[in-house]
C-alpha cells in the first residue's frame, strides 16, 4: 500500500534532477574552502537573500545554533517565542553548548510576539541580570499554524532591537513558504535582520542542508562556530548540488503545497468530530483537533495508519499534517475520505 506521509515537509525525497546534479557535482574539500559547488550555492543563497555572505550547514538546528552562538557570549540572554522551534525542539542547544540563557515570551497565534512583551523582557543594566543580546523570530512559524510574518512586523522588531543595541536572528527554515504565501520577495522579508537560517531540505525538497546568511564578517565567524560543532563537511558539493536545484526550480511550486493545505483544512472543517481554526492556515502546515472523546487519539492514528496515512500528534487531541512536493490534490482527497470514514465508523 502506498503511504501518504503528512508528518512533515522534511520527508520529501530529492527530485530526479537533484539526483542527476548530485551525481555530476564538481567537488573539493570545503573545509579548505575548495568545493566549487558549495561555493556556488553559498553565492546564490547570499544573492537571493540580499545578504553579503552565506554558509552551508547540515541542518536547520545547526543553522540556528551556529547563529546564536556566534552572536552571543556565555551567560547572555536570548529572547524568543515560547512556541518557537528553537526553544521547543532543538534540544536546548543554545544552553547546553553555548551557556546562553533563553528568555521565552508569549507567541501570539499568528507567530508574532507583541512588541511590548519583547520590550518588557529586555534586561536593564544590573549586576543581577544576564545581559540581553539577541531576539529570535521564526518565519513561517511552525507551531503557530505555519503563519508567515509580514515584513512590517519583522522591521518593527528590528527597530526595537536597534533602540536597545540588540541583534535579531530569524529562523527562516520555511522563509520561501512565507515569501510565496505573502507574494513578497524573500529579500524584503529578511531585509533588516542580522542573520537568517533557511532550509533546503523542507519544502524545497533537497535531501540535506540549510544555509545561514548575514554580513561577510558574521559569516566568517559562523564558519568557525560550525567547525567547533563538527559541521565542516568536506565534499559537501553533493549536498549543495541538490540545494542549487532547490533554489532554482522548487520555490514557485510551493504555491501548490499551500493550495493543498487549504483544500485539506477546508475539508477537515466539514468533518464531524474534527475541529480546526482556519484563520491562520496560510502555508503548508495544518493543525486540527479531534473534538470528540469517543475516539481515542491512539485509535485515530492507528486507523488512519492502517489506511496508509501518516501524520503527527502535536498535543492533547491535536494533530498536524504538512503538505509538500510528495503530496498531490488527489492525495488530499483520499486523506479527507479516510478521515471521514474513520470518524463515521467510530463515533
Ligand atoms: C521552524 C523550524 N526551525 C528549525 C527546524 C530544524 O531543522 P532541522 O530538522 O533541519 O534541524 C525545523 C524543523 O522542522 C523547523 O520547523
Amino acid at each position: 500500500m502506498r503511504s501518504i506521509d503528512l508528518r512533515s515537509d522534511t520527508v520529501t525525497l530529492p527530485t530526479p534532477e537533484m539526483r542527476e546534479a548530485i551525481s555530476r557535482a564538481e567537488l573539493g574539500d570545503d573545509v579548505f574552502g575548495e568545493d566549487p559547488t558549495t561555493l556556488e550555492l553559498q553565492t546564490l543563497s547570499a544573492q537571493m537573500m540580499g545578504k553579503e555572505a552565506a554558509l552551508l550547514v547540515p541542518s536547520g538546528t545547526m543553522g540556528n545554533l551556529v547563529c546564536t552562538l556566534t552572536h552571543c557570549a556565555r551567560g547572555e540572554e536570548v529572547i524568543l517565542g515560547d512556541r518557537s522551534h528553537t526553544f521547543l525542539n532543538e534540544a536546548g542547544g543554545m544552553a547546553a553548548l553555548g551557556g546562553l540563557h533563553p528568555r521565552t515570551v508569549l507567541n501570539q497565534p499568528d507567530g508574532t510576539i507583541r512588541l511590548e512583551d519583547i520590550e518588557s523582557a529586555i534586561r536593564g543594566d544590573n549586576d543581577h541580570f544576564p545581559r540581553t543580546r539577541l531576539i529570535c523570530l521564526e518565519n513561517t512559524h511552525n507551531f503557530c499554524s505555519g503563519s508567515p510574518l509580514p515584513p512590517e512586523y519583522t522591521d518593527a522588531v528590528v527597530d526595537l532591537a536597534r533602540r536597545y543595541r540588540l541583534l535579531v536572528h530569524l529562523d527562516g527554515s520555511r522563509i520561501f513558504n512565507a515569501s510565496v504565501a505573502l507574494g513578497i520577495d524573500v529579500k524584503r522579508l529578511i531585509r533588516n535582520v542580522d542573520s537568517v537560517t533557511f532550509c533546503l531540505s523542507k519544502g524545497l525538497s533537497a535531501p540535506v542542508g540549510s544555509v545561514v546568511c548575514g554580513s561577510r564578517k558574521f559569516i566568517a565567524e559562523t564558519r568557525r562556530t560550525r567547525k567547533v560543532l563538527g559541521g565542516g563537511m568536506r565534499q559537501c558539493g553533493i549536498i549543495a548540488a541538490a540545494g542549487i536545484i532547490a533554489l532554482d526550480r522548487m520555490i514557485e511550486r510551493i504555491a501548490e503545497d499551500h493550495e493543498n493545505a487549504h483544500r485539506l483544512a477546508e475539508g477537515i472543517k466539514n468533518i464531524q468530530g474534527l475541529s480546526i481554526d482556519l484563520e491562520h492556515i496560510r502555508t503548508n502546515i495544518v493543525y486540527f483537533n479531534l473534538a470528540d472523546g469517543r475516539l481515542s487519539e491512539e485509535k485515530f492514528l492507528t486507523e488512519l495508519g492502517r489506511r496508509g496515512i501518516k501524520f503527527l500528534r502535536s498535543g492533547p487531541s491535536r494533530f498536524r499534517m504538512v503538505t509538500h512536493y510528495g503530496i498531490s490534490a488527489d492525495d488530499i482527497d483520499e486523506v479527507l475520505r479516510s478521515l471521514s470514514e474513520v470518524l463515521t465508523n467510530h463515533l
Side-chain angles (χ1 to χ4, degrees), residues 15-222:
T15 64
E17 212 178 350
M18 287 178 187
R19 290 178 191 268
E20 162 69 20
I22 289 168
S23 69
R24 59 178 162 70
E26 252 188 88
L27 303 175
D29 188 331
D30 184 59
V31 175
F32 290 121
E34 291 172 3
D35 185 282
T37 313
T38 301
L39 294 175
E40 185 186 334
L41 170 72
Q42 290 173 172
T43 303
L44 176 65
S45 300
Q47 267 167 10
M48 288 178 74
M49 293 284 144
K51 297 288 181 199
E52 284 176 6
L55 184 76
L56 176 65
V57 291
S59 66
T61 300
M62 192 184 282
N64 290 331
L65 187 59
V66 152
C67 290
T68 47
L69 299 193
T70 303
H71 283 309
C72 305
R74 291 187 77 76
E76 290 186 332
E77 193 161 77
V78 178
I79 295 176
L80 76 178
D82 67 335
R83 307 287 302 143
S84 64
H85 193 277
T86 299
F87 180 65
L88 293 176
N89 267 32
E90 292 172 23
M94 73 168 77
L97 304 180
L100 307 183
H101 199 243
R103 174 86 179 267
T104 54
V105 185
L106 190 71
N107 269 124
Q108 299 301 314
D110 64 357
T112 61
I113 309 169
R114 287 200 183 108
L115 294 179
E116 55 270 34
D117 292 345
I118 296 178
E119 189 161 12
S120 59
I122 297 171
R123 305 280 190 163
D125 184 16
N126 182 317
D127 282 352
H128 296 82
F129 299 160
R131 286 198 175 105
T132 310
R133 176 69 59 206
L134 180 68
I135 301 169
C136 293
L137 297 176
E138 186 176 316
N139 193 8
T140 63
H141 200 292
N142 183 341
F143 297 131
C144 294
S145 307
S147 297
L149 299 183
E152 299 76 20
Y153 171 73
T154 306
D155 287 351
V157 173
V158 172
D159 285 348
L160 175 64
R162 298 297 177 245
R163 277 199 274 130
Y164 288 89
R165 296 173 192 279
L166 304 178
L167 300 165
V168 178
H169 170 70
L170 179 73
D171 175 356
S173 290
R174 296 185 181 80
I175 194 69
F176 290 105
N177 292 82
S179 168
V180 168
L182 297 169
I184 298 176
D185 190 289
V186 75
K187 282 193 195 74
R188 173 66 191 93
L189 297 182
I190 59 150
R191 188 163 71 192
N192 297 314
V193 300
D194 298 286
S195 58
V196 61
T197 305
F198 73 85
C199 292
L200 300 163
S201 60
K202 298 193 167 70
L204 300 184
S205 290
V208 189
S210 294
V211 179
V212 300
C213 301
S215 70
R216 209 164 277 117
K217 185 161 174 267
F218 175 77
I219 292 300
E221 277 305 305
T222 59

